[in-house]
Amino acid sequence: MRPQILFPLFAEVSTLKGVGPRVLPLVQKVAGPLVRDLLFLSPSGVIVRRPAEAASAIDGEVGVFTVTIDRLFTPSRPGAPLKVRASDPTGFVHLVWFGGSPQHIDRLLPRGETRLVAGKVERFNGEVQIVHPDIVTLEKAADIPASEPVYPATQGLSSRQLRKLVQGALPAAPDLPEWQDPAWLKKQNWLGWRAALDALHAPTAEMDLSPDAPARQRLAYDEFLAHQLALARRRRAREIRPAPVIVPGAASEHLLQALPFQLTNAQAQAVAEIRRDLASGQQTGRLLQGDVGSGKTAVAAVALADAASSGFQSALMAPTEILARQHYKKLGPMLDAAGVAAVLLTGRDTPAQRREKLAALASGHVQVAIGTHALFQDAVRFDRLALAVIDEQHRFGVNERQRLQAKGDPRLGAVHLLTMSATPIPRTLELTQYGELEVSRLMEKPPGRTPVTTAVLPLARIGEVAARLKTAVESGAQAYWICPLVEESEAIDLAAAVDRADDLRRLLGVEVGLAHGQMPGAEREAVMAAFADGRLPVLVATTVVEVGVDVPNASIMVIEHADRFGLAQLHQLRGRVGRGAKASSCILLYGGQDGALGETAKERLETLRRTEDGFEIAEEDFRLRGGGDPLGLKQSGFPAYRFADPIRHRSLMLAAADDARLIMNRDPDLTSERGRAVQVLEELFDWKNHKVGAS
Ligand code: ADP
Ligand code: MG
């Protein structure tokens, strides 16, 4: 329930003085429906006024002049401005209006009288001029505000009107109990919430508008904290849900022995984290993040074997047929060696095969189901499903994951969830998107990987690239050749990919496959399978090869128009090579005919050349995209924050996430004094009623 202290903030803006039926929809559009929303509207600018004199006035500054009115020049022709010449002891100041009424101006500025005028100084033919002075008054200079916030105006609602409304609403904002940790607050040197709100609306210099201004930092932190608390609550709701106890056993031992390698330290640690979850008796929700080739499958395999050891069934779901098959091909024999029976369930099964597999799952004869979307269909029943593992989890909807999880037997408890992702994302994005999940990261790659040599070349050198490719292919190498596919120009891009395949066929004199998203699924997968089996030396593809495909013999990756891809995507694509013993290379071709490449674009590709660490690339990509791309931020999964900027306030978000965790661990029911204040914060931002994450 909303605490009473917040009522004034949650009143409709229509209750404010000055918000009549005409203005109401405009305020709602600019700020939102509530008084809170208006008060959370940050100024976008500030007018700073300084006392000024004609002789020394500075272009572009807002000056306050004390002038004597000299004469009015009425417009000489229609459309010409109306001018008033005024002067101070140091020179003339011309006041200019476009479309003003001479009578009105005459009354406002009678000849011979002294007035204060304020406005932005422009020099025109060496003379000081002010177009549309923002203040003309009889008052003393001291009575003119030295600074004034500027708000994002809209047609019909000026910044000045908004400022009046905000100023009118501010007194209604209550003092709220402090929800931030006192020591932290002191260390940051921040104001209390109420004072910060006042400061937000009273900037006195450009500096006060910066994301680094203390008031803005405080409010951003509050917003992050409220959001992270909402996520922490979800985590907690899951954690208190009883779930089957899964502990390692004989099958796990056998599986580890059957693995053709030793787990890396990173893998061993992830396994330990997952095992702790699975043994807790509470529902697991974990994301296993690891770059392409970091060995997530082996980690998942251990969890599958653990479940079987404990007498439960599990499911491993992958987004495509080819991936599911690959998992089955790799895991099947290992699980088999561990005495665990697995089936592959996809859309390609014949009705008879399917019937048989479904029966085996329903009866519990088979412990592991590996498959695609086919896994969560209604006809699929399990005997004792306890664990769902989702590979490339972002390719599934929340509903699809839930449908699979719903196949558990409620009497056993909730089905554990282990999701995997090979798309490294910045830590901040991870916190917002998957804040309700625990995260394990595989930071280290298995040994024996050959580093990929990356070259960045202009498209103009495509001839050389093709020549080198010919030599490589003749000695048995396989290559991917990626063409971009951008939605706006899909038809053209597709045609370009088809043409490129033709070119290469001619140039290389070998068979060249073509795979793109517009092809029927079966046809595309047939081409990919031919490439995977080594029957096709070269595969021209749009980005469909991004996801998890493993062709160890492929050692060359050419990416055309690399500058049109996101860094993360390029990294994913590059991860397709360097999987075997062969020395691998990745060639990034940039630019079109002119071959020009901007600074940021260069820096981006350079990052890729420098490092193969997906997490580093993700952070760098994020930084380079900068805060000036709100659309990009949204697309990348950040919620619409009011105060917080996930890039500029990165460290604040990380701190708030830790803070939220600490609060929930110490005082899960929020009954302490700080806990109660924290509840007010949660209500203030109201994240509970928003979609707070993608997971
Ligand atoms: P991803 O994280 O992309 O799913 P995979 O699980 O497919 O990666 O692993 C990539 C390759 O690395 C596979 O061929 C796998 O057999 C191998 N691999 C995994 N773990 C190890 C390890 N500890 N030592 C050596 N090779 C490993
Ligand atoms: Mg994988």
Side-chain angles (χ1 to χ4, degrees):
M1 225 179 41
R2 181 172 301 140
Q4 201 156 3
I5 195 170
L6 291 179
F7 286 4
L9 292 170
F10 280 76
E12 300 278 332
V13 278
S14 58
T15 60
L16 290 172
K17 208 171 132 250
V19 182
R22 189 192 68 81
V23 172
L24 179 63
L26 299 173
V27 177
Q28 286 171 332
K29 181 178 132 206
V30 172
L34 305 174
V35 170
R36 175 201 61 178
D37 303 326
L38 182 63
L39 291 175
F40 281 3
L41 185 67
S42 301
S44 53
V46 56
I47 300 172
V48 181
R49 301 190 183 89
R50 296 205 175 80
E53 291 190 321
S56 56
I58 298 169
D59 229 12
E61 283 198 356
V62 177
V64 181
F65 298 83
T66 308
V67 291
T68 305
I69 309 308
D70 198 1
R71 63 173 291 196
L72 171 74
F73 300 91
T74 42
S76 46
R77 54 188 163 78
L82 203 128
K83 257 190 195 180
V84 169
R85 190 173 72 196
S87 61
D88 69 11
T90 69
F92 289 124
V93 176
H94 294 266
L95 311 175
V96 179
W97 284 267
F98 288 88
S101 124
Q103 290 78 11
H104 173 72
I105 302 283
D106 218 14
R107 243 178 292 124
L108 193 67
L109 299 165
R111 191 174 305 183
E113 299 261 322
T114 300
R115 287 287 184 279
L116 273 181
V117 299
K120 190 157 171 198
V121 172
E122 285 171 25
R123 295 214 170 242
F124 188 70
N125 290 339
E127 287 180 327
V128 171
Q129 121 175 352
I130 299 175
V131 178
H132 295 177
D134 61 10
I135 295 178
V136 174
T137 170
L138 264 169
E139 292 167 55
K140 287 196 277 301
D143 297 325
I144 294 186
S147 59
E148 208 172 87
V150 175
Y151 291 91
T154 187
Q155 178 88 51
L157 185 64
S158 67
S159 160
R160 185 167 288 192
Q161 282 171 293
L162 277 165
R163 177 166 49 85
K164 269 205 188 131
L165 292 175
V166 169
Q167 291 303 324
L170 265 175
D175 248 324
L176 298 178
E178 185 53 69
W179 47 74
Q180 291 200 25
D181 174 55
W184 161 259
L185 201 63
K186 193 149 167 250
K187 186 172 148 238
Q188 296 296 319
N189 218 351
W190 287 342
L191 301 164
W193 177 79
R194 184 64 182 75
L197 193 65
D198 275 334
L200 175 75
H201 293 294
T204 60
E206 281 292 329
M207 210 172 72
D208 295 329
L209 303 173
S210 146
D212 301 330
R216 293 199 176 212
Q217 284 200 345
R218 145 114 220 185
L219 295 168
Y221 186 84
D222 288 344
E223 188 167 36
F224 282 139
L225 184 59
H227 187 198
Q228 289 300 320
L229 283 163
L231 293 166
R233 266 182 194 282
R234 290 207 179 177
R235 226 163 31 226
R236 198 175 153 65
R238 189 194 66 238
E239 281 164 5
I240 57 179
R241 227 171 276 148
V245 173
I246 293 176
V247 290
S252 327
E253 278 303 309
H254 290 139
L255 179 102
L256 285 171
Q257 279 158 20
L259 286 180
F261 44 72
Q262 285 261 303
L263 293 184
T264 62
N265 288 335
Q267 284 171 318
Q269 189 182 335
V271 165
E273 286 164 354
I274 291 164
R275 282 183 163 170
R276 204 179 51 219
D277 291 352
L278 295 177
S280 69
Q282 299 168 336
Q283 190 186 20
T284 303
R286 188 170 283 274
L287 169 67
L288 178 59
Q289 271 238 62
D291 224 334
V292 278
S294 60
K296 295 182 291 296
T297 318
V299 175
V302 175
L304 300 177
D306 284 355
S309 286
S310 299
F312 294 107
Q313 289 175 300
S314 50
L316 169 59
M317 185 158 80
T320 64
E321 175 94 18
I322 192 164
L323 268 181
R325 278 184 193 287
Q326 237 174 46
H327 279 314
Y328 183 72
K329 211 166 110 189
K330 275 197 183 168
L331 290 177
M334 287 185 227
L335 289 168
D336 196 44
V340 179
V343 283
L344 174 69
L345 211 63
T346 74
R348 300 277 170 77
D349 294 317
T350 65
Q353 285 171 325
R354 186 171 160 76
R355 224 173 303 120
E356 193 181 321
K357 289 176 183 178
L358 292 185
L361 284 174
S363 65
H365 276 94
V366 157
Q367 290 101 336
V368 176
I370 296 173
T372 57
H373 295 72
L375 280 178
F376 60 73
Q377 304 310 319
D378 290 338
V380 182
R381 300 231 157 73
F382 288 85
D383 179 34
R384 292 166 67 75
L385 180 67
L387 168 67
V389 181
I390 318 277
D391 195 15
E392 306 296 341
Q393 58 79 34
H394 54 280
R395 304 257 306 208
F396 291 97
V398 179
N399 287 343
E400 297 176 322
R401 274 171 269 159
Q402 283 170 352
R403 276 179 73 183
L404 180 58
Q405 281 182 281
K407 295 193 179 293
D409 179 345
R411 288 168 302 183
L412 297 176
V415 171
H416 296 288
L417 177 67
L418 174 62
T419 62
M420 305 197 281
S421 169
T423 312
I425 53 175
R427 179 86 182 105
T428 44
L429 196 55
E430 181 184 287
L431 279 173
T432 36
Q433 283 201 310
Y434 309 116
E436 59 189 278
L437 299 177
E438 303 294 331
V439 178
S440 297
R441 281 183 164 198
L442 295 179
M443 301 290 281
E444 162 201 14
K445 287 209 180 152
R449 215 47 63 90
T450 46
V452 180
T453 312
T454 301
V456 180
L457 299 173
L459 189 60
R461 289 174 62 182
I462 192 168
E464 282 167 57
V465 174
R468 271 165 53 188
L469 186 58
K470 188 168 162 57
T471 318
V473 165
E474 278 164 2
S475 64
Q478 280 185 280
Y480 293 99
W481 188 292
I482 308 296
C483 298
L485 188 63
V486 183
E487 233 168 89
E488 302 92 72
S489 54
E490 205 162 289
I492 300 172
D493 287 341
L494 261 185
V498 173
D499 285 350
R500 185 61 74 214
D502 286 341
D503 288 349
L504 290 175
R505 234 168 254 136
R506 209 176 45 242
L507 278 167
L508 307 177
V510 295
E511 219 186 312
V512 173
L514 176 66
H516 59 75
Q518 305 280 294
M519 288 163 75
E523 198 179 310
R524 184 174 73 230
E525 287 195 1
V527 175
M528 306 265 283
F531 184 69
D533 295 348
R535 282 177 280 135
L536 265 179
V538 179
L539 177 68
V540 172
T542 59
T543 49
V544 290
V545 293
E546 252 183 276
V547 175
V549 183
D550 195 14
V551 184
N553 189 51
S555 59
I556 299 168
M557 169 67 65
V558 182
I559 304 175
E560 258 188 69
H561 291 289
D563 45 313
R564 282 164 64 180
F565 289 91
L567 267 196
Q569 218 179 358
L570 289 174
H571 173 67
Q572 283 273 323
L573 288 167
R574 180 173 59 180
R576 300 296 115 216
V577 296
R579 306 198 131 210
K582 271 206 187 98
S584 297
S585 55
C586 172
I587 294 130
L588 304 175
L589 295 172
Y590 65 82
Q593 295 313 323
D594 54 355
L597 194 62
E599 269 316 304
T600 311
K602 254 193 207 126
E603 219 183 312
R604 290 172 72 237
L605 295 184
E606 183 52 33
T607 302
L608 217 60
R609 217 179 55 75
R610 190 182 66 231
T611 178
E612 279 193 71
D613 178 336
F615 291 103
E616 188 184 333
I617 289 169
E619 296 283 356
E620 187 65 6
D621 187 23
F622 202 51
R623 191 186 63 76
L624 287 173
R625 273 190 284 157
D629 173 26
L631 204 76
L633 283 184
K634 261 199 196 129
Q635 283 170 350
S636 57
F638 280 111
Y641 289 119
R642 297 163 193 263
F643 300 115
D645 174 337
I647 294 179
R648 298 292 295 267
H649 296 132
R650 179 177 187 276
S651 62
L652 293 183
M653 190 199 282
L654 303 183
D658 285 345
D659 203 2
R661 225 166 238 275
L662 207 67
I663 292 169
M664 286 311 236
N665 287 344
R666 280 199 192 144
D667 180 19
D669 299 318
L670 301 177
T671 50
S672 68
E673 194 187 330
R674 186 175 181 210
R676 285 197 304 276
V678 157
Q679 288 188 41
V680 173
L681 169 68
E682 286 190 276
E683 290 294 336
L684 178 63
F685 280 97
D686 209 19
W687 278 110
K688 266 188 278 184
N689 297 320
H690 289 74
K691 193 178 163 291
V692 284
S695 50

